[in-house]
Amino acid sequence: MSKVREIMETMEYGPAPESNAEVLAWLARTPAVGHWIDGAHVAQGPLSDVLNPATGAVLTTLHKAGPDQVEAAVQAARAAFPGWSALPGHARARHLYAIARAVQKRERFLSVLEAMDNGKTIRETRDIDIPLVARHFYHHAGWAELVETEFPGHAPVGVCGQIIPWNFPLLMLAWKVAPALAAGNTVVLKPADLTPLTAHALAEICVEVGLPPGVLNIVQGDGETGALVAGHPGVDKVAFTGSTEVGRTIRRQIAGSGKKLSLELGGKSPFIVFEDADLEAAVEGVVDAIWFNQGEVCCAGSRLLVQEGIAPRFYARLRERLETLRVGDPLDKCTDVGAVVSARQLQRIDGLIAQGQAEGGTLHRAAAQLPATGNFCAPGFFTDVAPASTVAQVEIFGPVAVAMTFRTPDEAVALANDTRYGLAASVWSENVTKAIDVAARVKAGVVWINATNIFDAGAAFGGMRESGFGREGGREGMGEYLVRRAEQGSERPAVTVSWDPAPVAQAVAQPASGGVDITARLWVGGKWARADGGQSASVRGADGAVLGQVAIGNRKDIRNAVEAAAKAGAWGGVTAHNRAQVLYFLAENLDQRRAEFAELLAASTGGDGAAEVEAAIRRLFWNAAQADKVDGTVRATKSAHVTLHINEPWGVMGVICPEEAPLLALVSLVAPALAMGNRVVCVPSQAHPLVAARFAQVCAVSDLPAGALNIVTGPRDALAKTLAEHDEVAALWYCGSAEGSAMVEAASAGNLKSTWVDRGRMRDWGAAQGADWLRRACQVKTLWLPYGA
């Protein structure tokens, strides 16, 4: 045994193991982990081993749920929903509070169980994971108490199917289950098959604290089980955290089902270090960014972007710091890096490391003595890699970063955004103005300044681009589990629209044309454009008379319109007050042409044109009024930090208008998008496209910047499909048929754009405004700023 004097001379860590006796005893009583359905343990389905990643030892066996077990779980959740959702919020709050207290009372047991099941260190489970689990249940107990007053007019979604990953097993459960239950939903949860144990333990806790049977159901299994949960017709909402590829699969699987969907997917997050940064703090930030949790973190700062002048010094400090990291037994309280979750994941990491070296990257790695057994990976980082190299673009999901240099802030932003992901970012600089400017320009749902990987239940977390959509935590996370109470509209009647370019040998009706040819072209980039196909089609009014011709847009015209919209990015950067002025001016100019539009609408639809024009003017006024009223928020989260929630435009949005209310529907869809700073590519009513062409004339004299609004007439679903497949389009609103809605949702999986479809149901366009419309027209960026001491 070492003497104190010798220890003081070497400062070597001695072993500090955490006892796992209680967990081993619990596992001995749990020889096979099954499902929790309707408040009872169900041991059914094929068995597989659950392994300890640090030793390879079998911890227990796991039943895999098949169709019968998933069906039983969904039925149990469906049966429990009326009673649970009807409870007063206070009653649900008491249940969530009880779960939070029970988690705290078993904090050490759950910490050890999580470390053994996942391979992460006891320091992380004890100090981060389990306290955050309790925090989420406490926080959402508060939302349960307040939901009726804070979300008036909203109701729970119904039965929620939730699929969670293996990197934060119990924490991801809390992120999803707590808001779902607080809102009044019931849940069918599918944990990862590699890490099922803490979910099973929490199910026992729920029984212990008296959670009503069927409110939380857990089915164990692999991806096949997850697909059964997501695809079950009895599930109303799907929430998934995992890989981008699986997220795409789920998006396609449930397209057209009407299920609400939120996705938190992969990341390749930039960690930007400027030359004026506190380098010692930034080095410790790297430890927390990529070597924390073995790098198995979706928002890990895996791309180190270092200003050129300090790169050699920074890399040298990183190499020194690497040598101090201790890799080994996760239950040793002195261990910094534990075991990778599985041998298969370790093999994947090793393969990507080998590919990075083969492509010319220089690997700097800790000379740690790895244990002889278990799935251990020495932490490290690459230099000499190009932005397009495999390891710079692909999520390694292991304790290995890639480092590149930059010279200017603009170059740093360009490198940071050179990825298909957009989950998180970290910016290090003592110049707060520079740090905030860069944070604002980085495409990421969460940005930390002089910090990284800070989480709180009160802060929204979620991604942009191919890192998914939807938010978890805070008010935004609660909103994912609620829907506005409204009567479902009637089915939209099918309308046959001919896009035949052949002449019709019929004179154009006088009221719409005034005797002058009015062949309408496309409105693209602030000017009139001929259709790429060089074709036009006749448009008929309510009485069958030909009112004029419009251009037949095609795939190339949509691409041109998206390009024009992409170039109009300055629209999102102008003040909300300026956007409001433009919308007011649009309303003013529309008002001056009130009689003309009323006549055209009456001739087109046979309805009350004057009333529709008046409603459209008022709709423009309402959205103009809201443009500078939709505020972000400042949240009380961690000490010494201020957490900002900032509304950002999606960017380029696609808008597909319905056949009915050709002016009012167009304005109702386009105005909130413009008010929030988006640029829009609009496909107007197929049956009455001349109204949109006339509206473009109003836009031309209303100070709307070129490219902010583009109008392409043509066959609705063909153009909608092109918009849905376009990678530059970040969000798409579709009003059309049920089949078209399903097509749009499936086609949007390419870049995982946010969609809002009506599934062929009519809307009350007279009431088509409100906070929900504006919220859907933006995405939230969470910015963490150091504040105070």
Side-chain angles (χ1 to χ4, degrees):
M1 182 176 179
S2 300
K3 296 181 179 180
V4 172
R5 183 182 63 190
E6 295 169 345
I7 294 173
M8 292 298 294
E9 289 175 355
T10 63
M11 297 302 289
E12 284 289 329
Y13 287 100
E18 184 75 40
S19 172
N20 62 356
E22 294 89 350
V23 170
L24 290 175
W26 180 80
L27 289 170
R29 299 193 303 270
T30 315
V33 171
H35 325 293
W36 280 95
I37 299 174
D38 206 18
H41 183 231
V42 176
Q44 295 175 351
L47 286 168
S48 61
D49 290 337
V50 179
L51 305 179
N52 184 333
T55 64
V58 176
L59 295 172
T60 185
T61 54
L62 178 72
H63 287 281
K64 174 184 174 180
D68 291 343
Q69 291 76 40
V70 171
E71 176 68 24
V74 173
Q75 291 301 326
R78 180 61 62 194
F81 175 70
W84 179 252
S85 61
L87 285 177
H90 174 69
R92 294 198 300 272
R94 291 173 69 95
H95 283 290
L96 290 169
Y97 175 79
I99 294 172
R101 291 288 292 124
V103 167
Q104 285 186 317
K105 288 186 287 188
R106 290 168 175 78
E107 193 170 54
R108 183 182 169 280
F109 173 86
L110 293 171
S111 298
V112 173
L113 180 61
E114 194 80 302
M116 292 177 65
D117 196 23
N118 172 270
K120 63 175 65 186
T121 68
I122 187 66
R123 284 168 49 200
E124 292 172 4
T125 61
R126 179 196 65 197
D127 299 342
I128 299 172
D129 290 38
I130 307 307
L132 273 174
V133 170
R135 163 73 173 134
H136 273 267
F137 280 105
Y138 275 127
H139 178 79
H140 288 94
W143 276 122
E145 187 79 35
L146 301 173
V147 66
E148 289 148 4
T149 55
E150 291 295 313
F151 292 90
H154 287 75
V157 181
V159 175
C160 299
Q162 301 178 330
I163 303 165
I164 59 174
W166 44 257
N167 55 337
F168 291 91
L170 191 57
L171 182 54
M172 291 295 100
L173 179 153
W175 278 28
K176 287 181 167 52
V177 168
L181 299 189
N185 302 282
T186 54
V187 172
V188 176
L189 178 85
K190 204 289 288 182
D193 58 326
L194 295 174
T195 54
L197 298 182
T198 46
H200 188 79
L202 188 93
E204 294 183 341
I205 286 173
C206 289
V207 172
E208 182 181 84
V209 302
L211 189 72
V215 170
L216 173 61
N217 305 274
I218 298 175
V219 290
Q220 303 284 2
D222 55 15
E224 292 181 353
T225 304
L228 290 172
V229 172
H232 196 287
V235 167
D236 303 300
K237 149 86 180 179
V238 176
F240 171 76
T241 296
S243 73
T244 295
E245 288 309 311
V246 175
R248 282 198 185 91
T249 299
I250 291 174
R251 169 70 284 180
R252 295 186 181 108
Q253 178 191 17
I254 69 172
S257 66
K259 296 177 184 180
K260 199 170 184 183
L261 175 65
S262 55
L263 299 171
E264 194 262 281
L265 307 176
K268 195 70 177 174
S269 300
F271 185 103
I272 306 170
V273 184
F274 285 97
E275 59 190 2
D276 61 358
D278 179 338
L279 294 192
E280 295 304 313
V283 166
E284 291 307 307
V286 173
V287 175
D288 291 336
I290 186 62
W291 299 324
F292 160 67
N293 204 53
Q294 300 71 247
E296 297 169 327
V297 184
C298 52
C299 55
S302 55
R303 289 188 299 142
L304 312 180
L305 307 179
V306 186
Q307 199 153 18
E308 197 171 82
I310 60 166
R313 189 153 45 106
F314 190 71
Y315 295 162
R317 284 294 296 117
L318 279 181
R319 287 191 292 267
E320 291 175 11
R321 186 66 176 89
L322 268 176
E323 297 308 317
T324 68
L325 295 178
R326 295 170 61 89
V327 183
D329 181 7
L331 290 180
D332 190 325
K333 290 186 283 288
C334 298
T335 297
D336 298 301
V337 181
V340 172
V341 72
S342 69
R344 181 178 179 181
Q345 178 63 16
L346 179 60
Q347 185 180 24
R348 181 182 181 276
I349 295 168
D350 288 340
L352 285 167
I353 290 172
Q355 190 167 354
Q357 291 175 302
E359 292 177 3
T362 301
L363 180 62
H364 310 269
R365 209 166 189 186
Q369 185 66 41
L370 301 182
T373 59
N375 310 316
F376 291 92
C377 179
F381 67 98
F382 275 102
T383 56
D384 304 317
V385 296
S389 66
T390 300
V391 289
Q393 291 292 324
V394 173
E395 187 177 28
I396 297 174
F397 223 64
V400 180
V402 297
M404 294 171 280
T405 62
F406 65 88
R407 293 182 178 179
T408 67
D410 287 345
E411 186 181 359
V413 171
L415 285 170
N417 291 335
D418 182 27
T419 173
R420 59 196 177 102
Y421 299 112
L423 188 53
S426 183
V427 183
W428 295 77
S429 172
E430 292 298 284
N431 184 329
V432 68
T433 301
K434 181 199 298 177
I436 292 175
D437 172 65
V438 169
R441 292 192 285 157
V442 170
K443 299 287 188 184
V446 181
V447 183
W448 297 283
I449 291 179
N450 293 330
T452 192
N453 279 343
I454 302 176
F455 310 101
D456 187 79
F461 183 89
M464 298 180 179
R465 303 198 283 189
E466 293 186 33
S467 289
F469 48 80
R471 294 293 182 264
E472 295 184 293
R475 177 179 290 272
E476 294 79 10
M478 274 295 291
E480 296 293 334
Y481 290 94
L482 294 163
V483 291
R484 180 165 287 282
R485 290 189 180 95
E487 293 184 10
Q488 188 178 36
S490 59
E491 187 174 345
R492 177 174 287 113
V495 177
T496 302
V497 178
S498 172
W499 290 97
D500 186 355
V504 295
Q506 184 177 343
V508 174
Q510 187 71 16
S513 68
V516 179
D517 177 74
I518 58 166
T519 300
R521 290 178 284 175
L522 311 178
W523 181 248
V524 176
K527 59 185 179 182
W528 298 106
R530 296 188 183 279
D532 173 69
Q535 302 273 35
S536 295
S538 295
V539 179
R540 296 182 182 273
D543 61 359
V546 175
L547 302 181
Q549 284 81 38
V550 293
I552 305 175
N554 63 16
R555 186 182 187 88
K556 178 66 161 53
D557 296 310
I558 290 290
R559 292 203 301 267
N560 291 341
V562 172
E563 182 180 354
K567 290 178 179 178
W571 175 248
V574 305
T575 66
H577 169 63
N578 286 341
R579 294 197 297 271
Q581 286 188 87
V582 171
L583 291 175
Y584 280 129
F585 198 20
L586 267 170
E588 176 186 332
N589 288 328
L590 179 59
D591 185 56
Q592 292 182 28
R593 299 174 64 172
R594 178 189 296 264
E596 172 192 345
F597 271 87
E599 182 182 22
L600 177 57
L601 284 165
S604 298
T605 68
D608 187 344
E612 185 169 344
V613 175
E614 172 62 22
I617 292 170
R618 294 197 62 179
R619 188 62 37 81
L620 285 167
F621 260 75
W622 188 88
N623 283 281
Q626 289 286 351
D628 59 356
K629 311 295 189 305
V630 183
D631 298 325
T633 60
V634 179
R635 306 273 171 82
T637 53
K638 298 287 188 180
S639 60
H641 277 86
V642 59
T643 310
L644 308 179
H645 289 74
I646 304 162
N647 295 316
E648 286 198 353
W650 291 103
V652 178
M653 283 184 63
V655 167
I656 314 297
C657 298
E659 307 306 340
E660 70 273 10
L663 178 62
L664 181 56
L666 184 151
V667 168
S668 299
L669 293 162
V670 165
L674 293 175
M676 298 308 294
N678 298 283
R679 296 91 71 193
V680 177
V681 177
C682 174
V683 178
S685 168
Q686 289 190 112
H688 315 295
L690 285 172
V691 177
R694 198 71 59 88
F695 184 74
Q697 296 174 357
V698 176
C699 295
V701 295
S702 300
D703 293 341
L704 191 66
L709 174 61
N710 307 272
I711 297 175
V712 180
T713 53
R716 181 190 63 210
D717 285 358
L719 300 181
K721 188 171 188 293
T722 301
L723 279 168
E725 293 173 339
H726 202 299
D727 284 347
E728 188 66 39
V729 178
L732 181 58
W733 294 358
Y734 174 91
C735 299
S737 66
E739 296 77 14
S741 296
M743 176 273 295
V744 161
E745 289 184 329
S748 73
N751 72 337
L752 288 166
K753 59 176 60 66
S754 173
T755 59
W756 187 22
V757 303
D758 65 11
R759 301 178 63 211
R761 294 286 174 175
M762 302 278 280
R763 286 192 172 122
D764 178 4
W765 293 106
Q769 66 182 34
D772 282 357
W773 290 72
L774 296 162
R775 180 182 60 79
R776 289 178 181 273
C778 63
Q779 53 191 334
V780 170
K781 173 180 278 186
T782 303
L783 180 62
W784 291 79
L785 274 166
Y787 178 80

